[in-house]
Amino acid sequence: MNQPVATLSRLRSVELRTSAASESADFYENVWGLSVVERGSEGAWLRGTGDEHHVLQLTSAEQNGLGRITFAVRTPAEVDEAARRLGARGVPIVAGPGPTGEIAAGYGVSFVDPEGRVIQLLADAYAVTTMHRSDAVPVGVTHVVLNTVDIDAAVAFYTDVLGMRVSDWSEHQMAFLRCNSDHHSIAFNQAEWTAINHVAYEMPSVDHFMRGIGRLRHHGVVPMWGPGRHGPGDNTFSYFADPAGLVCEYTSGIAQVEEDRWLCRVWRRVPELSDTWGTAGPPSAEVRSHMAGVPDDGPFAHRADLRVSADR
């Protein structure tokens, strides 16, 4: 049996391809609560209050989509070994292994998954000083939900190749995967096409979560769904749309997994479990439409050589 290519320690950052890069950068800085690290004509890099150099990268594009998901690994040697194992499995590598030459520096390798998503494994990236702020702003990115045309194949790739563990299922519609003690850092949603569903940002507490919602309301931005608390993951939720129509979530209180004691559940998809508080009601047609996104074969869709069999 093949070993996973690496041991992932956490989700570092997400890159979004956006049709409204300038407006979205303004939104995430001035309304959402992130801080700009660098900004240019083609996009922006923004940080939370944690020590990651950046947690969100916005890249200008004609159509919305996922640019890249970056996970942390511990050392450059592990990146090199991951690249070797990826090659042995026939997984297409699009960059590295080696120094990235990017704004956060670091030593990394990037590859594509079976549906064309770009995943980066990164060590030795720049860190920044943790910001101690009392206002209600995100610590960083805590999870990403991805729409998939084949949830079983997606789960098989991320568990077998990346060593992630399934925490829970929501019937056969959603799967929640973890790489550390957080209940999930990636979740897959069975859908008609591959797309980014939403990106979730961690708030330090329920109080910060609610005050963050209040700040958005002050700016005239109201939740599409929420506030509420999910059954799977036990996290609070409130979903919004950014200027490009991409979905962003405030969340707090994600369940913590003890590896030797956790039992994976299959949750029923009923309103009282999608929102255990009973405050949000069922998701609206508007939020479902935004979460469906647009068909996205990834930034390397034109490269026929960069496709990997889902059964590897």
Side-chain angles (χ1 to χ4, degrees):
M1 181 176 177
N2 287 325
Q3 290 183 304
V5 301
T7 298
L8 312 183
S9 61
R10 65 187 182 280
L11 177 63
R12 280 191 185 274
S13 64
V14 177
E15 177 191 3
L16 297 176
R17 306 195 321 272
T18 171
S19 60
S22 179
E23 298 90 339
S24 294
D26 289 340
F27 168 82
Y28 283 106
E29 178 185 19
N30 299 317
V31 180
W32 197 247
L34 300 179
S35 300
V36 170
V37 177
E38 188 164 321
R39 184 170 179 176
S41 59
E42 295 301 312
W45 292 258
L46 300 102
R47 62 164 295 187
T49 60
D51 62 2
E52 291 290 350
H53 174 272
H54 67 275
V55 299
L56 176 64
Q57 179 181 348
L58 300 170
T59 300
S60 181
E62 293 184 3
Q63 178 178 290
N64 290 342
L66 177 67
R68 180 174 60 187
I69 300 172
T70 297
F71 290 98
V73 296
R74 291 176 299 176
T75 66
E78 290 182 68
V79 172
D80 287 335
E81 179 62 15
R84 186 192 69 77
R85 293 181 181 181
L86 287 164
R89 289 171 174 264
V91 177
I93 293 174
V94 295
T100 66
E102 298 175 358
I103 184 173
Y107 191 95
V109 62
S110 297
F111 58 94
V112 294
D113 78 0
E115 292 182 275
R117 304 179 191 90
V118 179
I119 306 297
Q120 182 184 53
L121 308 181
L122 185 64
D124 285 2
Y126 290 148
V128 291
T129 302
T130 301
M131 299 169 67
H132 298 285
R133 292 174 58 177
S134 60
D135 48 342
V137 296
V139 177
V141 171
T142 182
H143 67 257
V144 184
V145 176
L146 303 167
N147 295 328
T148 176
V149 298
D150 188 339
I151 195 168
D152 294 315
V155 169
F157 182 88
Y158 279 72
T159 54
D160 180 43
V161 176
L162 291 178
M164 302 187 80
R165 285 86 68 200
V166 178
S167 297
D168 284 312
W169 287 84
S170 178
E171 296 187 2
H172 196 235
Q173 180 63 41
M174 291 191 71
F176 301 88
L177 280 66
R178 67 185 185 275
C179 66
N180 52 30
S181 63
D182 287 351
H183 180 270
H184 58 283
S185 56
I186 293 286
F188 287 103
N189 175 60
Q190 180 66 45
E192 294 184 40
W193 52 74
T194 301
I196 179 78
N197 184 290
H198 70 268
V199 178
Y201 298 80
E202 178 191 1
M203 300 298 269
S205 68
V206 173
D207 179 69
H208 290 86
F209 166 79
M210 292 302 296
R211 288 194 288 121
I213 296 170
R215 184 183 64 253
L216 265 70
R217 285 186 176 275
H218 178 76
H219 284 87
V221 181
V222 298
M224 291 191 295
W225 186 31
R229 184 183 287 276
H230 288 312
D234 197 35
N235 54 300
T236 65
F237 68 85
S238 195
Y239 297 92
F240 303 83
D242 74 12
L246 291 162
V247 180
C248 45
E249 176 192 5
Y250 278 161
T251 188
S252 65
I254 188 77
Q256 295 299 296
V257 172
E258 292 184 57
E259 289 292 341
D260 60 344
R261 308 184 83 174
W262 185 264
L263 293 177
C264 178
R265 292 180 56 181
V266 178
W267 293 74
R268 291 181 300 126
R269 293 183 65 79
V270 292
E272 60 266 29
L273 295 179
S274 66
D275 173 23
T276 60
W277 281 351
T279 53
S284 66
E286 178 190 21
V287 74
R288 288 186 182 277
S289 175
H290 279 276
M291 287 180 172
V294 295
D296 179 16
D297 293 328
F300 293 97
H302 63 287
R303 294 274 301 276
D305 58 315
L306 297 180
R307 306 304 296 178
V308 55
S309 173
D311 61 0
R312 290 191 182 273

